[in-house]
Amino acid sequence: MAFWWPLLVLGFAYAVCRFLLMLIPPNVPSIDVDASDVLDDGSQTKENGFIYIPRKGKAAQSDRVHCYEPATMMYLGYFPALTTDEVKEHVAQARKAQKVWAKSSFKQRRQFLRILLKYIVEHQELICEISSRDTGKTIVDASLGEIMTTCEKITWLLSEGERWLKPEYRSSGRSMLYKTSKVEFHPLGVIGAIVSWNYPFHNIFNPMLAAVFSGNSVVIKVSEHASWSGCFYYRIIQAALAAVEAPENLVHVITGFAETGEALVSSVDKIIFVGSPGVGRMIMENASRPLIPVTLELGGKDAFIVCEDVDVPHVAQIAVRAALQSSGQNCAGAERFYVHKDIYSTFVAQVVKIVKSVRVGPPLAGKYDMGAICMQEHTDRLQLLVNDALDKGAKIVGRGRFGHLGEDAVDQFFPPTVIEDVDHTMKLMQEEAFGPIIPIMKFDSDEEAIMLANDSNYGLGCAVFSGSKHRATRIASQLHCGLAAINDFASNYMCQSLPFGGVKHSGFGRFAGVEGLRACCLVKSVVEDRWWPFIKTKIPKPLQYPVADNCFEFQESLVEALYGLNVWDRLRALVNVIKILSDKNPGTVAAAGGGRRRNQ
């Protein structure tokens, strides 16, 4: 007992010291980011701003990317649509900066992350307001989808990032017992990212953080639908890099249309794309010529399965939040709802009750639960999906209510809509809607729910709800998708240690987590002598040129000695290996293992 007391005291003292050190805040400098030109102080409406009427179709693509608030159509300004040569110049600058940054310490990289984290926490409202103005989402949705996920990623990298980028030692096996084997993770060079508009802050920071922390530079092409906010967020990154004396041009944010994206794909060392399956195919095609690796996140048609043994009001509230995620801009949202027949009517009634209370309107003009649809003409597509379902027998059972909308902005809003009596012949259950529509279908058994959920070209995520955790887990384990939440929705996105990505038309490859961090690296296998220079590789005499007559007998016996299943056969083979090695006249010793069987 006396032996354990000192250890317990030392352990307790260590824990107390660690706790006290946690109370001491790290020395993190503040950065100053000019936001004077992005704050809506009211003067813009009367003097500098005007209602913007965007051109439609390909005619909208010119040498400028025009930006406007989708909720009010207020003009925000423009950015250049970069040409191929301009993109290549950005990549060249990033490549030069990366060669310097690759030699940086993890201490410097962690300080960069801390500076970013400090700024984000202290300027949440500013970041969320800019995201809201550029995409139409509410401030709360911006906080949930943009701020929290980004802060969680930074915190995870600070805590575990260096650990997963250090060399990882592996077993050397039987034949290489005298060697050490390890995997090294080196930066790839320049990471290119083409990101979508729905989470403009997080979609920039997500690839940037992993790329920069692993020693790369990064060039990010932001969506033409969210360039205004993306270019402001770039200022934050620039200020943080300058604060840690990182090389200039380490991170670039570029603007433009398809030509800009195509030029980026062919210029970098890896491409990360977030967007639609159609554009994803073109990215793959362009990347295939220079053989550039790609990670594709192409959206989803996530299934939301509700068993009969759940707390209906509780799950209904989660279901509505899942469907309306980020003002109907639900890249991570559920799009197909399967409810057990025993609670179907009750569940639908509860969802309708919640949806009817949802207020739709300009997010910064009042207290609204849902804002505008970001993409021009997308409301027309949503209505076409609804009409197709209605023509095939579905019916609308509830819709949200509009707030006060200006006449010029009505087309940018779509009320949350609950639809029942749907089936898989309807486009609404097969195509990604990317909008605030809740189609609900009943099922009889767990097997039917699994079959329905897997009947999709997409495979990003799913959510399964049951009073039995074992039952929910069993159902989720049989769904063909990359993410699964048990009795919850979208919790995967807050666990930044987990990889993110899907299968089928939802793409492939992973970002986030260990897998996403290492995906920004050249993964190099290294083998070296364990006891150099005392033991090193020497080619056995029977295998030296010119090879001996019994070289195959030697090799055959060696294989059996190392890998044979019967220990006595392995020992006999080992004896034969020793005999052959000690034989002065190669070819005179009969094999004890495989050679013996061959001669019989």
Side-chain angles (χ1 to χ4, degrees):
M1 187 65 180
F3 173 75
W4 290 105
W5 272 111
L7 293 178
L8 289 172
V9 171
L10 287 173
F12 179 75
Y14 175 76
V16 170
C17 291
R18 287 292 302 268
F19 175 74
L20 292 175
L21 286 173
M22 288 174 59
L23 299 179
I24 303 173
N27 182 23
V28 180
S30 298
I31 54 175
D32 183 31
V33 180
D34 181 18
S36 60
D37 58 335
V38 296
L39 292 172
D40 185 7
D41 58 4
S43 63
Q44 194 177 30
T45 303
K46 295 180 181 180
E47 299 174 9
N48 307 322
F50 57 89
I51 297 298
Y52 181 66
I53 302 176
R55 291 180 291 175
K56 297 182 179 180
K58 291 186 178 180
Q61 297 191 11
S62 63
D63 59 346
R64 292 181 177 182
V65 178
H66 293 282
C67 308
Y68 55 90
E69 294 182 14
T72 64
M73 304 308 294
M74 186 65 62
Y75 189 65
L76 295 172
Y78 68 87
F79 294 92
L82 300 187
T83 65
T84 298
D85 290 339
E86 289 171 326
V87 172
K88 289 182 177 179
E89 178 59 29
H90 279 276
V91 173
Q93 292 173 0
R95 195 174 299 283
K96 183 177 180 181
Q98 188 274 332
K99 295 184 186 301
V100 178
W101 183 249
K103 302 173 184 177
S104 64
S105 66
F106 281 110
K107 180 180 179 181
Q108 186 180 13
R109 299 177 194 180
R110 278 193 295 269
Q111 186 71 338
F112 168 64
L113 298 187
R114 291 191 188 100
I115 292 170
L116 287 175
L117 183 60
K118 181 177 181 180
Y119 182 88
I120 293 168
V121 172
E122 293 176 352
H123 296 83
Q124 296 180 56
E125 186 175 359
L126 171 65
I127 294 169
C128 291
E129 181 179 329
I130 290 172
S131 176
S132 176
R133 291 187 67 190
D134 207 15
T135 64
K137 66 177 66 180
T138 65
I139 294 288
V140 170
D141 281 331
S143 178
L144 289 169
E146 309 261 42
I147 299 294
M148 289 190 69
T149 49
T150 303
C151 289
E152 187 65 34
K153 186 176 186 74
I154 293 174
T155 314
W156 178 78
L157 283 171
L158 285 170
S159 174
E160 300 186 39
E162 181 179 357
R163 167 192 170 192
W164 296 111
L165 292 177
K166 284 184 174 181
E168 183 178 282
Y169 284 85
R170 307 281 180 88
S171 62
S172 296
R174 293 178 179 177
S175 62
M176 294 288 111
L177 185 63
Y178 63 101
K179 301 281 190 179
T180 59
S181 304
K182 62 182 177 180
V183 180
E184 295 179 347
F185 304 94
H186 301 276
L188 276 173
V190 182
I191 305 295
I194 301 175
V195 298
S196 60
W197 48 267
N198 53 335
Y199 295 99
F201 181 74
H202 181 66
N203 284 351
I204 288 177
F205 274 70
N206 187 33
M208 182 278 297
L209 290 167
V212 171
F213 192 80
S214 53
N216 298 280
S217 59
V218 62
V219 181
I220 305 170
K221 190 264 178 190
V222 291
S223 169
E224 58 268 31
H225 300 292
S227 297
W228 181 75
S229 57
C231 289
F232 171 74
Y233 299 145
Y234 178 41
R235 297 180 195 173
I236 302 172
I237 298 169
Q238 284 180 307
L241 288 171
V244 297
E245 299 181 342
E248 287 188 75
N249 300 312
L250 188 66
V251 177
H252 292 248
V253 169
I254 60 176
T255 53
F257 299 102
E259 180 188 5
T260 306
E262 290 172 8
L264 182 62
V265 171
S266 61
S267 305
V268 294
D269 300 303
K270 179 185 174 69
I271 195 74
I272 299 171
F273 174 72
V274 181
S276 68
V279 179
R281 291 187 185 95
M282 289 189 286
I283 296 289
M284 280 192 66
E285 183 179 351
N286 291 333
S288 67
R289 288 188 283 270
L291 291 177
I292 291 172
V294 298
T295 294
L296 301 179
E297 196 280 283
L298 306 178
K301 194 75 181 169
D302 291 7
F304 191 105
I305 298 175
V306 184
C307 298
E308 76 281 1
D309 53 355
V310 301
D311 179 350
V312 172
H314 169 71
V315 178
Q317 186 68 237
I318 296 175
V320 175
R321 165 58 69 177
L324 310 188
Q325 183 79 11
S326 293
S327 303
Q329 304 158 4
N330 49 318
C331 105
E335 291 208 356
R336 297 178 295 152
F337 295 80
Y338 302 104
V339 180
H340 194 277
K341 63 178 183 179
D342 291 349
I343 61 167
Y344 181 81
S345 298
T346 305
F347 184 84
V348 171
Q350 188 67 35
V351 168
V352 169
K353 179 182 177 182
I354 297 169
V355 164
K356 285 185 175 180
S357 70
V358 174
R359 299 151 299 182
V360 183
L364 298 179
K367 190 175 181 181
Y368 293 107
D369 303 299
M370 202 186 94
I373 301 295
C374 182
M375 292 187 295
Q376 188 73 12
E377 300 178 299
H378 189 60
T379 53
D380 294 337
R381 180 177 178 275
L382 294 178
Q383 192 58 52
L384 288 174
L385 291 175
V386 171
N387 291 343
D388 175 74
L390 296 178
D391 291 342
K392 295 175 180 176
K395 61 182 179 181
I396 296 174
V397 291
R399 305 194 88 168
R401 53 195 173 95
F402 285 117
H404 175 70
L405 300 179
E407 292 182 2
D408 296 318
V410 172
D411 288 344
Q412 292 298 108
F413 293 87
F414 194 91
T417 303
V418 185
I419 302 180
E420 66 174 359
D421 295 336
V422 295
D423 58 52
H424 282 207
T425 66
M426 302 170 185
K427 294 180 181 178
L428 183 59
M429 297 297 282
Q430 296 295 336
E431 299 179 10
E432 185 177 28
F434 228 83
I437 305 174
I438 310 175
I440 307 178
M441 186 175 178
K442 67 178 68 172
F443 66 86
D444 289 328
S445 64
D446 292 358
E447 290 69 28
E448 184 184 13
I450 293 167
M451 182 271 293
L452 291 169
N454 284 332
D455 181 24
S456 173
N457 288 328
Y458 293 95
L460 183 56
C462 70
V464 183
F465 291 81
S466 171
S468 166
K469 180 182 175 183
H470 173 75
R471 179 185 180 187
T473 303
R474 181 178 59 82
I475 293 173
S477 69
Q478 299 178 68
L479 302 185
H480 196 199
C481 58
L483 312 166
I486 308 299
N487 286 320
D488 202 350
F489 167 74
S491 50
N492 310 72
Y493 308 103
M494 287 306 299
C495 299
Q496 284 293 316
S497 64
L498 295 176
F500 177 95
V503 295
K504 299 190 282 189
H505 287 193
S506 290
F508 54 81
R510 295 295 184 266
F511 50 82
V514 179
E515 294 79 1
L517 185 61
R518 289 178 170 179
C520 293
C521 298
L522 164 64
V523 181
K524 182 181 292 185
S525 299
V526 178
V527 179
E528 56 190 358
D529 290 302
R530 190 185 299 272
W531 297 294
W532 175 269
F534 305 105
I535 298 178
K536 51 189 175 182
T537 299
K538 182 178 180 181
I539 298 175
K541 197 169 184 179
L543 300 181
Q544 293 179 10
Y545 291 118
V547 295
D549 293 340
N550 60 356
C551 62
F552 182 72
E553 293 176 358
F554 168 80
Q555 184 62 24
E556 196 174 22
S557 296
L558 180 63
V559 169
E560 185 163 6
L562 288 170
Y563 309 113
L565 298 179
N566 186 305
V567 66
W568 298 112
D569 287 343
R570 288 174 61 188
L571 286 173
R572 279 194 295 270
L574 179 61
V575 169
N576 196 60
V577 168
I578 296 172
K579 286 182 178 179
I580 294 174
L581 289 174
S582 59
D583 183 32
K584 302 284 186 180
N585 301 304
T588 61
V589 180
R596 181 184 65 249
R597 290 193 296 271
R598 187 186 63 188
N599 294 331
Q600 288 176 348

PDB file of all heavy atoms in Angstrom, residues 465-482:
ATOM      1  N   PHE A 465     -34.699   7.155 -36.096  1.00  0.00           N
ATOM      2  CA  PHE A 465     -35.243   7.413 -34.767  1.00  0.00           C
ATOM      3  C   PHE A 465     -36.059   6.219 -34.291  1.00  0.00           C
ATOM      4  O   PHE A 465     -36.942   5.723 -34.994  1.00  0.00           O
ATOM      5  CB  PHE A 465     -36.133   8.662 -34.788  1.00  0.00           C
ATOM      6  CG  PHE A 465     -35.386   9.943 -34.997  1.00  0.00           C
ATOM      7  CD1 PHE A 465     -35.008  10.329 -36.266  1.00  0.00           C
ATOM      8  CD2 PHE A 465     -35.037  10.745 -33.920  1.00  0.00           C
ATOM      9  CE1 PHE A 465     -34.305  11.503 -36.472  1.00  0.00           C
ATOM     10  CE2 PHE A 465     -34.334  11.916 -34.111  1.00  0.00           C
ATOM     11  CZ  PHE A 465     -33.964  12.295 -35.386  1.00  0.00           C
ATOM     12  N   SER A 466     -35.752   5.764 -33.084  1.00  0.00           N
ATOM     13  CA  SER A 466     -36.492   4.672 -32.465  1.00  0.00           C
ATOM     14  C   SER A 466     -36.313   4.739 -30.962  1.00  0.00           C
ATOM     15  O   SER A 466     -35.272   5.218 -30.474  1.00  0.00           O
ATOM     16  CB  SER A 466     -36.008   3.320 -32.993  1.00  0.00           C
ATOM     17  OG  SER A 466     -36.562   2.252 -32.261  1.00  0.00           O
ATOM     18  N   GLY A 467     -37.326   4.248 -30.221  1.00  0.00           N
ATOM     19  CA  GLY A 467     -37.190   4.153 -28.768  1.00  0.00           C
ATOM     20  C   GLY A 467     -36.169   3.128 -28.355  1.00  0.00           C
ATOM     21  O   GLY A 467     -35.704   3.120 -27.212  1.00  0.00           O
ATOM     22  N   SER A 468     -35.819   2.248 -29.271  1.00  0.00           N
ATOM     23  CA  SER A 468     -34.778   1.247 -29.036  1.00  0.00           C
ATOM     24  C   SER A 468     -33.517   1.654 -29.778  1.00  0.00           C
ATOM     25  O   SER A 468     -33.491   1.682 -31.007  1.00  0.00           O
ATOM     26  CB  SER A 468     -35.251  -0.128 -29.528  1.00  0.00           C
ATOM     27  OG  SER A 468     -34.167  -1.033 -29.605  1.00  0.00           O
ATOM     28  N   LYS A 469     -32.489   1.956 -29.023  1.00  0.00           N
ATOM     29  CA  LYS A 469     -31.220   2.349 -29.643  1.00  0.00           C
ATOM     30  C   LYS A 469     -30.673   1.222 -30.510  1.00  0.00           C
ATOM     31  O   LYS A 469     -30.135   1.464 -31.599  1.00  0.00           O
ATOM     32  CB  LYS A 469     -30.220   2.728 -28.558  1.00  0.00           C
ATOM     33  CG  LYS A 469     -28.862   3.156 -29.083  1.00  0.00           C
ATOM     34  CD  LYS A 469     -27.909   3.472 -27.940  1.00  0.00           C
ATOM     35  CE  LYS A 469     -26.506   3.781 -28.462  1.00  0.00           C
ATOM     36  NZ  LYS A 469     -25.561   4.025 -27.351  1.00  0.00           N
ATOM     37  N   HIS A 470     -30.833  -0.013 -30.033  1.00  0.00           N
ATOM     38  CA  HIS A 470     -30.338  -1.162 -30.803  1.00  0.00           C
ATOM     39  C   HIS A 470     -31.052  -1.250 -32.143  1.00  0.00           C
ATOM     40  O   HIS A 470     -30.427  -1.511 -33.186  1.00  0.00           O
ATOM     41  CB  HIS A 470     -30.555  -2.450 -30.004  1.00  0.00           C
ATOM     42  CG  HIS A 470     -30.225  -3.694 -30.772  1.00  0.00           C
ATOM     43  ND1 HIS A 470     -28.934  -4.100 -31.022  1.00  0.00           N
ATOM     44  CD2 HIS A 470     -31.036  -4.624 -31.377  1.00  0.00           C
ATOM     45  CE1 HIS A 470     -28.948  -5.211 -31.733  1.00  0.00           C
ATOM     46  NE2 HIS A 470     -30.207  -5.553 -31.962  1.00  0.00           N
ATOM     47  N   ARG A 471     -32.362  -1.027 -32.144  1.00  0.00           N
ATOM     48  CA  ARG A 471     -33.136  -1.100 -33.391  1.00  0.00           C
ATOM     49  C   ARG A 471     -32.709  -0.007 -34.373  1.00  0.00           C
ATOM     50  O   ARG A 471     -32.507  -0.269 -35.566  1.00  0.00           O
ATOM     51  CB  ARG A 471     -34.622  -0.982 -33.072  1.00  0.00           C
ATOM     52  CG  ARG A 471     -35.531  -1.029 -34.283  1.00  0.00           C
ATOM     53  CD  ARG A 471     -36.972  -0.773 -33.875  1.00  0.00           C
ATOM     54  NE  ARG A 471     -37.888  -0.816 -34.994  1.00  0.00           N
ATOM     55  CZ  ARG A 471     -39.174  -0.484 -34.913  1.00  0.00           C
ATOM     56  NH1 ARG A 471     -39.681  -0.072 -33.733  1.00  0.00           N
ATOM     57  NH2 ARG A 471     -39.945  -0.546 -35.974  1.00  0.00           N
ATOM     58  N   ALA A 472     -32.565   1.207 -33.862  1.00  0.00           N
ATOM     59  CA  ALA A 472     -32.154   2.321 -34.725  1.00  0.00           C
ATOM     60  C   ALA A 472     -30.772   2.074 -35.308  1.00  0.00           C
ATOM     61  O   ALA A 472     -30.526   2.328 -36.495  1.00  0.00           O
ATOM     62  CB  ALA A 472     -32.180   3.629 -33.944  1.00  0.00           C
ATOM     63  N   THR A 473     -29.869   1.547 -34.498  1.00  0.00           N
ATOM     64  CA  THR A 473     -28.509   1.264 -34.967  1.00  0.00           C
ATOM     65  C   THR A 473     -28.513   0.166 -36.014  1.00  0.00           C
ATOM     66  O   THR A 473     -27.779   0.241 -37.015  1.00  0.00           O
ATOM     67  CB  THR A 473     -27.615   0.856 -33.781  1.00  0.00           C
ATOM     68  OG1 THR A 473     -27.625   1.892 -32.801  1.00  0.00           O
ATOM     69  CG2 THR A 473     -26.189   0.604 -34.238  1.00  0.00           C
ATOM     70  N   ARG A 474     -29.340  -0.855 -35.815  1.00  0.00           N
ATOM     71  CA  ARG A 474     -29.425  -1.956 -36.780  1.00  0.00           C
ATOM     72  C   ARG A 474     -29.939  -1.458 -38.128  1.00  0.00           C
ATOM     73  O   ARG A 474     -29.427  -1.846 -39.181  1.00  0.00           O
ATOM     74  CB  ARG A 474     -30.349  -3.051 -36.236  1.00  0.00           C
ATOM     75  CG  ARG A 474     -30.476  -4.257 -37.157  1.00  0.00           C
ATOM     76  CD  ARG A 474     -31.374  -5.312 -36.533  1.00  0.00           C
ATOM     77  NE  ARG A 474     -32.695  -4.784 -36.274  1.00  0.00           N
ATOM     78  CZ  ARG A 474     -33.669  -4.683 -37.198  1.00  0.00           C
ATOM     79  NH1 ARG A 474     -33.426  -5.062 -38.445  1.00  0.00           N
ATOM     80  NH2 ARG A 474     -34.839  -4.207 -36.882  1.00  0.00           N
ATOM     81  N   ILE A 475     -30.947  -0.592 -38.112  1.00  0.00           N
ATOM     82  CA  ILE A 475     -31.476  -0.041 -39.361  1.00  0.00           C
ATOM     83  C   ILE A 475     -30.415   0.805 -40.057  1.00  0.00           C
ATOM     84  O   ILE A 475     -30.163   0.663 -41.258  1.00  0.00           O
ATOM     85  CB  ILE A 475     -32.744   0.794 -39.088  1.00  0.00           C
ATOM     86  CG1 ILE A 475     -33.885  -0.112 -38.610  1.00  0.00           C
ATOM     87  CG2 ILE A 475     -33.174   1.557 -40.331  1.00  0.00           C
ATOM     88  CD1 ILE A 475     -35.122   0.648 -38.151  1.00  0.00           C
ATOM     89  N   ALA A 476     -29.785   1.697 -39.301  1.00  0.00           N
ATOM     90  CA  ALA A 476     -28.785   2.595 -39.885  1.00  0.00           C
ATOM     91  C   ALA A 476     -27.617   1.829 -40.477  1.00  0.00           C
ATOM     92  O   ALA A 476     -27.043   2.244 -41.503  1.00  0.00           O
ATOM     93  CB  ALA A 476     -28.296   3.584 -38.828  1.00  0.00           C
ATOM     94  N   SER A 477     -27.251   0.711 -39.855  1.00  0.00           N
ATOM     95  CA  SER A 477     -26.101  -0.057 -40.340  1.00  0.00           C
ATOM     96  C   SER A 477     -26.356  -0.662 -41.715  1.00  0.00           C
ATOM     97  O   SER A 477     -25.402  -1.030 -42.418  1.00  0.00           O
ATOM     98  CB  SER A 477     -25.751  -1.161 -39.341  1.00  0.00           C
ATOM     99  OG  SER A 477     -26.762  -2.160 -39.317  1.00  0.00           O
ATOM    100  N   GLN A 478     -27.625  -0.772 -42.123  1.00  0.00           N
ATOM    101  CA  GLN A 478     -27.963  -1.368 -43.409  1.00  0.00           C
ATOM    102  C   GLN A 478     -28.251  -0.335 -44.493  1.00  0.00           C
ATOM    103  O   GLN A 478     -28.613  -0.695 -45.611  1.00  0.00           O
ATOM    104  CB  GLN A 478     -29.172  -2.294 -43.250  1.00  0.00           C
ATOM    105  CG  GLN A 478     -28.916  -3.445 -42.291  1.00  0.00           C
ATOM    106  CD  GLN A 478     -30.145  -4.317 -42.114  1.00  0.00           C
ATOM    107  OE1 GLN A 478     -30.573  -5.016 -43.032  1.00  0.00           O
ATOM    108  NE2 GLN A 478     -30.731  -4.265 -40.928  1.00  0.00           N
ATOM    109  N   LEU A 479     -28.096   0.945 -44.163  1.00  0.00           N
ATOM    110  CA  LEU A 479     -28.326   2.002 -45.140  1.00  0.00           C
ATOM    111  C   LEU A 479     -27.024   2.340 -45.848  1.00  0.00           C
ATOM    112  O   LEU A 479     -25.978   2.522 -45.198  1.00  0.00           O
ATOM    113  CB  LEU A 479     -28.909   3.238 -44.457  1.00  0.00           C
ATOM    114  CG  LEU A 479     -30.222   3.008 -43.700  1.00  0.00           C
ATOM    115  CD1 LEU A 479     -30.770   4.332 -43.176  1.00  0.00           C
ATOM    116  CD2 LEU A 479     -31.256   2.326 -44.577  1.00  0.00           C
ATOM    117  N   HIS A 480     -27.056   2.445 -47.156  1.00  0.00           N
ATOM    118  CA  HIS A 480     -25.852   2.654 -47.963  1.00  0.00           C
ATOM    119  C   HIS A 480     -25.569   4.147 -48.058  1.00  0.00           C
ATOM    120  O   HIS A 480     -25.995   4.819 -49.004  1.00  0.00           O
ATOM    121  CB  HIS A 480     -26.062   2.054 -49.348  1.00  0.00           C
ATOM    122  CG  HIS A 480     -24.789   1.884 -50.109  1.00  0.00           C
ATOM    123  ND1 HIS A 480     -24.737   1.724 -51.470  1.00  0.00           N
ATOM    124  CD2 HIS A 480     -23.489   1.856 -49.697  1.00  0.00           C
ATOM    125  CE1 HIS A 480     -23.483   1.595 -51.859  1.00  0.00           C
ATOM    126  NE2 HIS A 480     -22.708   1.678 -50.809  1.00  0.00           N
ATOM    127  N   CYS A 481     -24.871   4.661 -47.082  1.00  0.00           N
ATOM    128  CA  CYS A 481     -24.552   6.087 -47.046  1.00  0.00           C
ATOM    129  C   CYS A 481     -23.301   6.304 -46.215  1.00  0.00           C
ATOM    130  O   CYS A 481     -22.833   5.397 -45.526  1.00  0.00           O
ATOM    131  CB  CYS A 481     -25.723   6.900 -46.480  1.00  0.00           C
ATOM    132  SG  CYS A 481     -26.230   6.419 -44.813  1.00  0.00           S
ATOM    133  N   GLY A 482     -22.764   7.514 -46.271  1.00  0.00           N
ATOM    134  CA  GLY A 482     -21.509   7.798 -45.582  1.00  0.00           C
ATOM    135  C   GLY A 482     -21.644   8.307 -44.164  1.00  0.00           C
ATOM    136  O   GLY A 482     -20.679   8.275 -43.400  1.00  0.00           O
TER     137      GLY A 482
END
